[in-house]
Amino acid sequence: MPSVYRVLPDVNNYQSLQADDIAAAMKYRLDGTPIGGDWVTLGVFVVSPKAKKGDFWGCLFCPAAFAVSTDTAQQIVTFLDQSCETLPLDVEGDKLLLCNVTCVLNCLNKQASRHKPGLPHWIEKCEFHSHRFDNSLFKLPETAMSEILCVEGPAALEDEFKGTVEKLGLTGLRFERVWTG
């Protein structure tokens, strides 16, 4: 039985990033659209340097993105290749990769889901067409600027994003269940 989870950087327990130039960061929507050659490497800094260093960093300039080191990227390369483009970040001289999830799936069952009246992007209760899950890590068109999702269940746990992150013991993310089929 498939389940869908919201992928959330754990900014309360692990280091997160903020852009040195917020205006420069805000010109990138990170809404599921590839940025490609328009990307100019952003300078970012660690917001809470005394917090634990995780394998994933939340990006306070964009809630629908996360950053990883090149080492972490190699461990989850299958999911990054399937669902993301990786963009360089300069973190006070160190290099990280911003993961822009570009896999946007039309899998929300809009008829059965419930959202705030007049606000289709503010979904209170999600229902999905489970046969439309193509990739483990994805975004919805309705919420692409505000969240990243992953599905668990259609494949073996080690072939899915959440299962791989947990099996490898990677830190800095948490998963919030939003639906079970």
Side-chain angles (χ1 to χ4, degrees):
M1 183 176 311
S3 293
V4 173
Y5 294 84
R6 194 171 285 123
V7 179
L8 300 163
D10 191 353
V11 297
N12 293 325
N13 295 304
Y14 293 91
Q15 292 180 353
S16 58
L17 305 171
Q18 182 58 280
D20 282 319
D21 184 348
I22 297 292
M26 297 309 288
K27 74 179 185 180
Y28 303 109
R29 294 176 51 91
L30 301 174
D31 63 355
T33 305
I35 295 169
D38 293 335
W39 179 257
V40 175
T41 301
L42 290 177
V44 297
F45 63 95
V46 176
V47 175
S48 303
K50 296 254 183 197
K52 292 183 278 189
K53 187 176 183 179
D55 298 296
F56 293 88
W57 282 265
C59 300
L60 300 181
F61 56 91
C62 181
F66 56 78
V68 295
S69 67
T70 53
D71 290 341
T72 300
Q74 289 174 353
Q75 294 179 65
I76 60 169
V77 69
T78 301
F79 306 103
L80 298 181
D81 286 350
Q82 288 173 348
S83 300
C84 301
E85 70 176 343
T86 54
L87 306 163
L89 291 175
D90 181 11
V91 186
E92 301 167 340
D94 291 328
K95 302 295 180 202
L96 292 180
L97 298 170
L98 179 70
C99 298
N100 178 26
V101 177
T102 56
C103 176
V104 180
L105 299 180
N106 183 15
C107 59
L108 183 68
N109 181 338
K110 294 174 193 161
Q111 304 277 5
S113 295
R114 188 175 67 239
H115 62 82
K116 292 254 185 212
L119 298 170
H121 59 281
W122 192 330
I123 303 168
E124 295 176 324
K125 180 180 180 286
C126 293
E127 293 291 335
F128 291 91
H129 297 288
S130 59
H131 64 280
R132 296 184 184 177
F133 295 133
D134 289 335
N135 292 27
S136 179
L137 188 63
F138 65 97
K139 289 185 175 186
L140 297 173
E142 295 81 6
T143 60
M145 286 191 62
S146 61
E147 68 181 356
I148 300 169
L149 300 169
C150 70
V151 64
E152 178 182 71
L157 285 179
E158 62 272 8
D159 294 331
E160 295 176 333
F161 181 74
K162 180 178 180 287
T164 298
V165 167
E166 291 171 344
K167 179 181 176 189
L168 295 173
L170 300 176
T171 58
L173 288 181
R174 59 188 181 86
F175 298 93
E176 176 183 282
R177 188 188 321 248
V178 296
W179 177 79
T180 298

